Amino acid sequence: MALAFDEFGRPFIILREQDQKTRLRGIDAQKANIAAGKAVARILRSSLGPKGMDKMLQGPDGDITITNDGATILEQMDVDNQIAKLMVELSRSQDYEIGDGTTGVVVMAGALLEQAERQLDRGIHPIRIAEGYEMASRVAVDHLERIAQKFEFDVNNFEPLVQTCMTTLSSKIVNRCKRSLAEIAVKAVLAVADLERRDVNLDLIKVEGKVGGKLEDTELIYGILIDKDMSHPQMPKQIEDAHIAILTCPFEPPKPKTKHKVDIDTVEKFETLRKQEQQYFDEMVQKCKDVGATLVICQWGFDDEANHLLMHRNLPAVRWVGGVELELIAIATGGRIVPRFQELTPEKLGKAGVVREKSFGTTKERMLYIEHCANSKAVTVFIRGGNKMMIEETKRSIHDALCVARNLIRNKSIVYGGGAAEIACSLAVDAAADKYPGVEQYAIRAFAEALDSVPMALAENSGLQPIETLSAVKSQQIKENIPFYGIDCNDVGTNDMREQNVFETLIGKQQQILLATQVVKMILKIDDVISNSEY
Amino acid sequence: MPIDKIFKDDASEEKGERARMASFVGAMAISDLVKSTLGPKGMDKILQSTGRGHAVTVTNDGATILKSLHIDNPAAKVLVDISKVQDDEVGDGTTSVVVLAGELLREAEKLVASKIHPMTIIAGYRMASECARDALLKRVIDNKDNAEMFRSDLLKIAMTTLCSKILSQDKEHFAEMAVDAVFRLKGSTNLEAIQIIKKPGGTLRDSFLDEGFILDKKIGIGQPKRIENAKILVANTAMDTDKVKIYGARVRVDSMTKVAEIEGAEKEKMKDKVKKIIAHGINCFVNRQLIYNFPEELFADAGILAIEHADFEGIERLGLVTGGEIASTFDNPESVKLGHCKLIEEIMIGEDKLIHFSGCEMGQACSIVLRGASHHVLDEAERSLHDALCVLSQTVNDTRVLLGGGWPEMVMAKEVDELARKTAGKKSHAIEAFSRALVAIPTTIADNAGLDSAELVAQLRAEHHTEGCNAGIDVISGSVGDMEERGIYEAFKVKQAVLLSATEASEMILRVDEIITCAPRRREDRM
């Protein structure tokens, strides 16, 4: 611990209780931070690409997640180191912004850090390295813009979109039925997309999962799915052209909020109360019937008698529907949530084409489908799968695919995957480096080298010779001046990513480079780490 | 520069070879655990729970064994999950799926040791499982159109399934029973409609299938014990004290006479209700809730059979069986649908009295009464029968069947071997390994029966070299024989599920190259 002394040789106290704190300064601090960042990147490196391996994560309660989604791995890893936490943040922000490429961004950042370490050993000042990286990232992003291709599709011809989603899904465990899942994702996005404004509200897509069945049974529902069944087992299971009354009051006798007492002291009073009660149930059901409702969805429970009356009057009902679902139903069907029976009017009813109850498997699990809703375009992706692990992983994969489809609708530009874009950028950055006088030149070259690490990791994970493959592809790109050559991960026999239909979105790739550079710059600028040694 | 700790305290990380080894070892341990229960001569396990009473279960059902284990190894948990799914999906083959997945991993371990990348192994396994499935598809037998043949197929499947269970002594008897029960379902897979009632006493052979519906309840005192042409009202209503439910209402009186008056009014109210119920013209009333003495007496007076406190499932099933509507209000007797059945009577099984509904309108449901020496026997018998029922009900929907006794494995292994010879590249090693893993199943079956497995499997392999061979291992006689002649059949759906889910599970475990275990959640000190 460095100490400062005054002219009499007494030490100044700069940090409170400084013996109890560890402090790293200067080059040591940078090296320690880089090492931590690299360690995180190294964990993810083997998960990159279609042949990437999975990680098995055992949570604090012993539950198991098997995934190769970068964001999920980092989220569940429970890291303690500050710099490692930065990397977790990095992957998370890529997830929020783009939804895909969460592994790639961390691997990229790790490679940049590794190169930075080498430059530090040469004696280049961290700030100069950071500046060089900044310049290089600008070159790379511009170059991506140049090699990007517009990509034509419309509502009727969404095949290209499906292809792109398939690229995303091929690296997941669900790649067995990537085709059908990709189609589901694209159809879901197109169903809610606002093609005029080029915007997609992903909130309208609900992803639900239920254990059981096969992955192939996963389906897209144009409507809403709720995990409830009809309140009475003998109510009709299917209602066509439903008029839905959405209630937040129970089918039970009223409960005024103000405190009151009804005293029964004579037989007559007892009799009247009894009559009233019966009448009350009758009235409630009659009200719903009068406004023309053919289905009642209620947030609360029903009394047995009310339940039977509903069933008797042929008015199917669902009880104990949660608040969030109730709102969703109200939005989707264009109905209003009604808090009192007195306020029920025909206009307040929601409308849906079909409401049906479906039961699953040999057990008595039932769910309610509300389809062809009047108002909105809300859709639900309903995932089936062998076990909970599989469903969670499928959910994540579908989420990624949805994000990719959305990004494509927002911005039609694409670049080619399989490391092709990185190699092209690396070449461009390398060429640009020579134009910069000064120390930054070295940092820019280092950046180019770091870009190579993504295709390198891809080749490594696919069981190819990394250096050999990369140099072959690189020379091919230069020779033919076509930026579409990448790593042939699936052993198809061609390096041309156009033929293999491996795309990635332009914004996704740009964002990856920008975010990774930003984080690395931040890490490089830290030159003093003070931490409580207690922790 | 030492790397700072990245993870929190107590968290551990295992990488590469070590991670893979940990998962291989865990998965193989699980598979070895259930291995000895495979096949008709498989042994049982005793499971003693750590809970209060140390309840004991004796079983050889793979899913049940695995469900009861407390496992820490993550890979082992994957296998337990797979077996659970197999149980939910097809009901049988829960042991086979774990054994096959274990064998696949064992072979994979050898391949990894000889420097083959796990992804290459996975690719090979995938090709092999495709090929194996096609091989099975080519050899399936489908007797969908011939009802008689199909029934005999089902019987044979049921016997094959049951022969590895505790019921093997009376497998013909139980197979008949299971097939009859499943045929009554008419193609639906809702096993809820088959009610299994366990009554200790007697022997397993005394178990029987009943056409009607049996409710484990007593008939009220003084009410008729036998009703012909019953009209049944199924209800869910309070028959104790029918309270006034308007909130805030309470009884406040100032003299004894008034109490008496109100009590009288309450009684009157109940009487009214009973009258209304009687007005439906029924002679049997089944309620989900309690029936107090007073209304019970009223029913008895009217000569109506009143059954109280039937549980929810009982009510729903009864509604289903008799075609009645579950009622809670009784003001419109003309429009409430009543249930019908020919005969209600009280019967005795062992010591207990049960109510028997026979000649119901919708004959879908039926009850199976299991008898046996002890609770353990009955529990195990129920599990076995449940397995058989699951398999049968699935087979009714997918009518393809296969021969048993290791025959399907040998057919698959042969095809897969041929594929390995044709495939170029490192994948062929993996494909070959797949076929070895398949052969391990008949080997295990023979081993468990105390036979010379090496000799038998070699013989079997030679037999299978000829086209269209039906040879399999007959464990009972301890030799290789024609499976078709001995009537050993299995359902195609089960075999397919075993094959696909075992491959999937081993793939999932092979793909893992790193295990990160979070620090266990700190529990509050229980001191």
Side-chain angles (χ1 to χ4, degrees):
Chain A
M1 183 69 57
L3 288 177
F5 297 96
D6 65 4
E7 59 221 272
F8 306 110
R10 286 175 305 196
F12 276 120
I13 293 185
I14 301 170
L15 295 170
R16 194 144 47 106
E17 293 160 359
Q18 64 178 352
D19 342 328
Q20 279 164 34
K21 291 180 178 159
T22 50
R23 187 170 178 197
L24 281 172
R25 301 190 64 187
I27 207 89
D28 277 349
Q30 270 132 8
K31 286 261 176 100
N33 291 342
I34 287 172
K38 266 164 59 190
V40 173
R42 206 177 314 128
I43 292 176
L44 286 194
R45 193 180 157 94
S46 62
S47 289
L48 193 70
K51 294 278 175 81
M53 307 292 275
D54 289 2
K55 306 280 176 239
M56 195 184 265
L57 301 152
Q58 193 167 19
D61 298 323
D63 46 330
I64 290 175
T65 315
I66 297 184
T67 182
N68 70 0
D69 180 56
T72 314
I73 297 172
L74 290 175
E75 202 113 320
Q76 307 218 343
M77 218 158 62
D78 206 8
V79 286
D80 205 20
N81 185 291
Q82 305 85 346
I83 301 299
K85 273 185 190 155
L86 273 183
M87 302 291 266
V88 176
E89 286 288 313
L90 166 70
S91 145
R92 199 180 297 157
S93 58
Q94 172 85 9
D95 194 27
Y96 287 160
E97 198 64 23
I98 307 296
D100 189 29
T102 49
T103 316
V105 69
V106 175
V107 171
M108 179 80 209
L112 284 174
L113 284 173
E114 203 175 326
Q115 292 297 330
E117 195 179 12
R118 213 170 286 168
Q119 303 306 317
L120 280 176
D121 285 344
R122 282 185 167 162
I124 301 177
H125 194 272
I127 295 294
R128 306 298 286 274
I129 302 176
E131 267 162 23
Y133 276 4
E134 178 67 43
M135 289 171 195
S137 74
R138 235 175 291 139
V139 173
V141 168
D142 289 345
H143 187 69
L144 278 179
E145 198 93 45
R146 227 169 300 129
I147 62 169
Q149 294 202 330
K150 282 279 178 248
F151 171 81
E152 288 313 314
F153 64 88
D154 53 55
V155 182
N156 301 319
N157 174 26
F158 51 79
E159 184 59 28
L161 278 179
V162 175
Q163 291 287 351
T164 322
C165 287
M166 273 166 68
T167 311
T168 309
L169 291 175
S170 66
S171 67
K172 312 282 178 195
I173 197 157
V174 294
N175 64 3
R176 186 157 48 94
C177 33
K178 61 180 173 188
R179 172 85 214 177
S180 59
L181 287 183
E183 270 172 22
I184 287 174
V186 172
K187 277 184 196 154
V189 169
L190 284 179
V192 300
D194 187 344
L195 288 177
E196 293 294 303
R197 283 195 304 123
R198 306 208 144 276
D199 196 17
V200 183
N201 183 1
L202 282 188
D203 286 345
L204 289 175
I205 303 175
K206 208 169 152 216
V207 182
E208 281 271 348
K210 202 165 181 70
V211 179
K214 304 191 283 289
L215 200 53
E216 282 82 355
D217 297 338
T218 302
E219 56 180 333
L220 178 68
I221 299 157
Y222 291 96
I224 291 177
L225 189 70
I226 44 176
D227 195 356
K228 288 279 176 294
D229 52 357
M230 295 291 182
S231 62
H232 198 287
Q234 288 161 333
M235 282 177 178
K237 306 288 181 221
Q238 181 153 0
I239 305 151
E240 307 269 348
D241 198 13
H243 293 251
I244 306 170
I246 305 160
L247 296 171
T248 53
C249 47
F251 268 92
E252 272 164 19
K255 290 179 179 172
K257 295 267 171 16
T258 42
K259 271 210 166 153
H260 68 288
K261 280 177 195 137
V262 182
D263 283 345
I264 304 173
D265 48 9
T266 59
V267 174
E268 289 78 50
K269 276 194 184 166
F270 185 83
E271 294 282 323
T272 30
L273 265 178
R274 202 182 107 196
K275 289 243 169 61
Q276 258 179 17
E277 186 189 281
Q278 275 177 351
Q279 222 178 354
Y280 192 79
F281 283 129
D282 237 19
E283 258 172 35
M284 283 190 297
V285 178
Q286 197 54 45
K287 271 257 163 56
C288 300
K289 215 49 191 175
D290 282 347
V291 293
T294 53
L295 174 71
V296 179
I297 289 178
C298 184
Q299 197 175 8
W300 301 102
F302 305 160
D303 198 271
D304 284 340
E305 282 168 37
N307 200 1
H308 178 248
L309 274 177
L310 282 169
M311 141 89 180
H312 200 79
R313 300 278 182 85
N314 207 3
L315 188 58
V318 188
R319 59 180 154 184
W320 300 121
V321 178
V324 183
E325 275 120 343
L326 211 65
E327 271 172 36
L328 253 177
I329 294 169
I331 295 170
T333 58
R336 292 272 293 279
I337 298 178
V338 181
R340 264 174 222 292
F341 286 100
Q342 289 77 18
E343 287 165 22
L344 263 177
T345 52
E347 304 86 65
K348 286 180 180 167
L349 297 181
K351 286 171 192 66
V354 183
V355 178
R356 62 198 167 94
E357 188 184 284
K358 198 174 167 190
S359 53
F360 297 103
T362 51
T363 45
K364 271 174 53 175
E365 306 261 12
R366 298 201 191 92
M367 285 187 125
L368 206 64
Y369 289 58
I370 303 177
E371 289 173 304
H372 308 296
C373 301
N375 212 6
S376 128
K377 305 180 279 188
V379 295
T380 307
V381 180
F382 184 45
I383 298 170
R384 307 304 313 278
N387 51 44
K388 206 157 171 268
M389 232 155 25
M390 202 67 184
I391 287 189
E392 290 303 312
E393 179 69 1
T394 313
K395 267 189 191 171
R396 286 190 286 271
S397 312
I398 286 271
H399 168 77
D400 284 4
L402 289 175
C403 289
V404 168
R406 176 196 59 180
N407 294 340
L408 277 177
I409 288 175
R410 278 198 189 153
N411 185 347
K412 279 185 184 170
S413 306
I414 51 138
V415 291
Y416 286 91
E422 280 89 353
I423 297 174
C425 283
S426 156
L427 290 173
V429 172
D430 215 16
D434 298 337
K435 290 181 206 136
Y436 286 91
V439 190
E440 283 85 2
Q441 198 185 89
Y442 278 88
I444 295 173
R445 266 203 207 107
F447 192 93
E449 209 137 297
L451 277 171
D452 281 345
S453 73
V454 171
M456 196 96 99
L458 275 179
E460 218 175 288
N461 291 343
S462 315
L464 304 168
Q465 297 286 345
I467 300 176
E468 211 171 280
T469 320
L470 180 63
S471 48
V473 174
K474 227 176 186 178
S475 72
Q476 207 173 359
Q477 278 212 9
I478 296 177
K479 216 187 292 163
E480 301 178 29
N481 199 15
I482 299 173
F484 307 137
Y485 291 111
I487 308 290
D488 176 22
C489 297
N490 292 323
D491 221 9
V492 182
T494 168
N495 283 334
D496 192 338
M497 291 296 131
R498 273 177 306 182
E499 267 174 54
Q500 287 203 20
N501 279 328
V502 181
F503 316 117
E504 279 176 81
T505 53
L506 173 67
I507 22 177
K509 201 88 276 167
Q510 282 179 333
Q511 198 65 236
Q512 260 185 10
I513 292 177
L514 288 176
L515 280 175
T517 316
Q518 244 173 47
V519 167
V520 169
K521 266 170 63 190
M522 192 150 70
I523 295 176
L524 282 175
K525 279 185 178 164
I526 301 171
D527 79 330
D528 202 340
V529 181
I530 303 167
S531 52
N532 251 332
S533 56
E534 290 298 299
Y535 299 104
Chain B
M1 171 66 49
I3 300 173
D4 276 17
K5 229 174 29 206
I6 295 179
F7 300 106
K8 289 209 174 111
D9 292 343
D10 295 338
S12 68
E13 186 193 9
E14 279 176 69
K15 279 190 174 174
E17 289 303 303
R18 278 194 51 136
R20 207 164 284 134
M21 206 176 71
S23 43
F24 282 156
V25 169
M28 276 188 277
I30 286 292
S31 120
D32 285 343
L33 181 80
V34 292
K35 209 171 176 180
S36 65
T37 64
L38 192 69
K41 294 277 172 88
M43 307 299 269
D44 288 5
K45 307 259 177 222
I46 286 189
L47 305 166
Q48 188 173 23
S49 82
T50 49
R52 211 187 318 160
H54 295 277
V56 170
T57 316
V58 183
T59 183
N60 77 355
D61 180 46
T64 312
I65 297 173
L66 293 176
K67 237 187 295 184
S68 332
L69 295 177
H70 293 285
I71 295 168
D72 204 32
N73 186 296
K77 278 191 188 157
V78 174
L79 284 196
V80 174
D81 242 11
I82 285 287
S83 130
K84 212 183 290 168
V85 170
Q86 176 87 6
D87 195 27
D88 292 347
E89 277 293 288
V90 285
D92 195 24
T94 49
T95 314
S96 319
V97 68
V98 176
V99 172
L100 184 57
E103 288 303 326
L104 284 174
L105 286 173
R106 200 187 301 274
E107 293 295 336
E109 189 191 18
K110 286 181 208 154
L111 292 177
V112 170
S114 61
K115 298 273 179 287
I116 293 178
H117 195 268
M119 282 297 166
T120 320
I121 304 178
I122 289 172
Y125 276 9
R126 268 200 200 153
M127 281 174 72
S129 88
E130 264 312 295
C131 159
R133 197 172 152 253
D134 289 343
L136 282 188
L137 272 176
K138 253 185 268 163
R139 303 286 302 267
V140 289
I141 308 159
D142 194 348
N143 282 328
K144 186 168 44 182
D145 309 322
N146 188 339
E148 210 155 288
M149 288 282 279
F150 182 52
R151 195 187 152 86
S152 88
D153 279 354
L154 282 186
L155 261 182
K156 283 172 192 160
I157 290 175
M159 280 203 261
T160 313
T161 309
L162 290 173
C163 77
S164 65
K165 308 280 154 87
I166 196 166
L167 302 176
S168 60
Q169 293 306 315
D170 307 302
K171 62 181 180 201
E172 287 90 357
H173 180 65
F174 282 101
E176 282 278 351
M177 225 158 79
V179 172
D180 280 345
V182 167
F183 265 112
R184 292 178 70 86
L185 289 179
K186 299 187 182 78
S188 106
T189 54
N190 185 7
L191 292 181
E192 294 272 325
I194 301 176
Q195 192 190 19
I196 298 181
I197 295 174
K198 296 177 281 184
K199 287 283 165 205
T203 61
L204 279 175
R205 192 169 275 281
D206 295 336
S207 310
F208 61 93
L209 172 82
D210 198 281
E211 304 266 305
F213 178 81
I214 294 178
L215 199 63
D216 195 352
K217 287 282 167 280
K218 293 198 177 58
I219 296 178
I221 300 155
Q223 291 165 350
K225 298 274 185 259
R226 183 187 157 94
I227 293 179
E228 280 182 47
N229 283 330
K231 282 188 215 133
I232 309 162
L233 179 66
V234 188
N236 175 16
T237 183
M239 291 301 272
D240 34 12
T241 48
D242 204 358
K243 292 188 287 280
V244 173
K245 275 173 264 181
I246 292 178
Y247 186 74
R250 59 175 192 168
V251 179
R252 168 175 273 183
V253 289
D254 43 20
S255 72
M256 284 303 283
T257 39
K258 287 205 172 146
V259 174
E261 273 169 20
I262 286 183
E263 204 188 332
E266 240 171 45
K267 263 199 177 151
E268 199 57 40
K269 189 179 169 196
M270 184 49 73
K271 218 181 222 165
D272 262 6
K273 193 167 184 180
V274 173
K275 246 185 224 152
K276 271 188 214 153
I277 292 170
I278 295 171
H280 286 67
I282 53 165
N283 46 20
C284 174
F285 175 72
V286 184
N287 192 13
R288 188 181 75 79
Q289 300 175 22
L290 283 176
I291 303 177
Y292 268 28
N293 289 356
F294 177 63
E296 191 178 320
E297 188 193 319
L298 291 177
F299 283 123
D301 284 347
I304 289 175
L305 175 64
I307 301 163
E308 65 166 3
H309 214 222
D311 50 5
F312 245 120
E313 275 108 68
I315 283 286
E316 265 181 40
R317 229 178 261 159
L318 200 59
L320 191 75
V321 171
T322 60
E325 164 180 310
I326 301 173
S328 294
T329 54
F330 309 98
D331 291 329
N332 316 305
E334 59 289 343
S335 57
V336 172
K337 258 196 284 167
L338 297 177
H340 292 280
C341 78
K342 290 250 164 56
L343 180 67
I344 302 176
E345 60 182 340
E346 195 173 57
I347 52 167
M348 296 275 289
I349 297 176
E351 296 274 282
D352 298 308
K353 286 179 190 163
L354 301 168
I355 304 166
H356 181 213
F357 297 79
S358 56
C360 300
E361 264 179 6
M362 302 188 217
Q364 275 200 8
C366 54
S367 299
I368 290 175
V369 179
L370 285 180
R371 307 299 313 276
S374 74
H375 277 292
H376 301 307
V377 172
L378 284 176
D379 285 347
E380 177 68 358
E382 188 193 0
R383 277 192 290 275
S384 317
L385 200 60
H386 181 255
D387 280 5
L389 288 174
C390 281
V391 174
L392 290 179
S393 68
Q394 294 293 340
T395 317
V396 170
N397 288 340
D398 184 349
T399 55
R400 290 170 289 185
V401 295
L402 294 166
L403 295 175
W407 177 84
E409 282 82 8
M410 292 313 284
V411 170
M412 288 192 276
K414 189 178 156 222
E415 285 292 321
V416 172
D417 253 345
E418 249 155 57
L419 176 74
R421 256 173 257 155
K422 277 182 254 165
T423 312
K426 281 193 258 187
K427 271 182 248 171
S428 69
H429 292 290
I431 299 172
E432 224 181 318
F434 195 93
S435 116
R436 275 201 298 278
L438 282 172
V439 176
I441 288 196
T443 314
T444 316
I445 293 179
D447 273 338
N448 284 346
L451 302 171
D452 184 355
S453 62
E455 168 66 26
L456 281 177
V457 170
Q459 210 178 329
L460 199 57
R461 191 191 287 264
E463 293 257 354
H464 270 269
H465 205 64
T466 51
E467 264 324 296
C469 160
N470 289 334
I473 296 178
D474 183 357
V475 180
I476 311 298
S477 69
S479 63
V480 170
D482 190 327
M483 287 294 116
E484 200 176 351
E485 273 171 28
R486 317 226 169 162
I488 298 177
Y489 279 74
E490 279 181 89
F492 169 72
K493 203 164 173 191
V494 175
K495 272 286 142 196
Q496 178 182 281
V498 167
L499 181 72
L500 296 185
S501 30
T503 318
E504 203 169 283
S506 54
E507 184 181 317
M508 207 143 70
I509 293 171
L510 270 173
R511 278 173 70 106
V512 171
D513 77 333
E514 183 157 340
I515 302 175
I516 297 169
T517 315
C518 289
R521 198 181 293 281
R522 294 260 159 75
R523 299 236 159 73
E524 294 297 309
D525 241 340
R526 280 187 215 145
M527 299 295 283

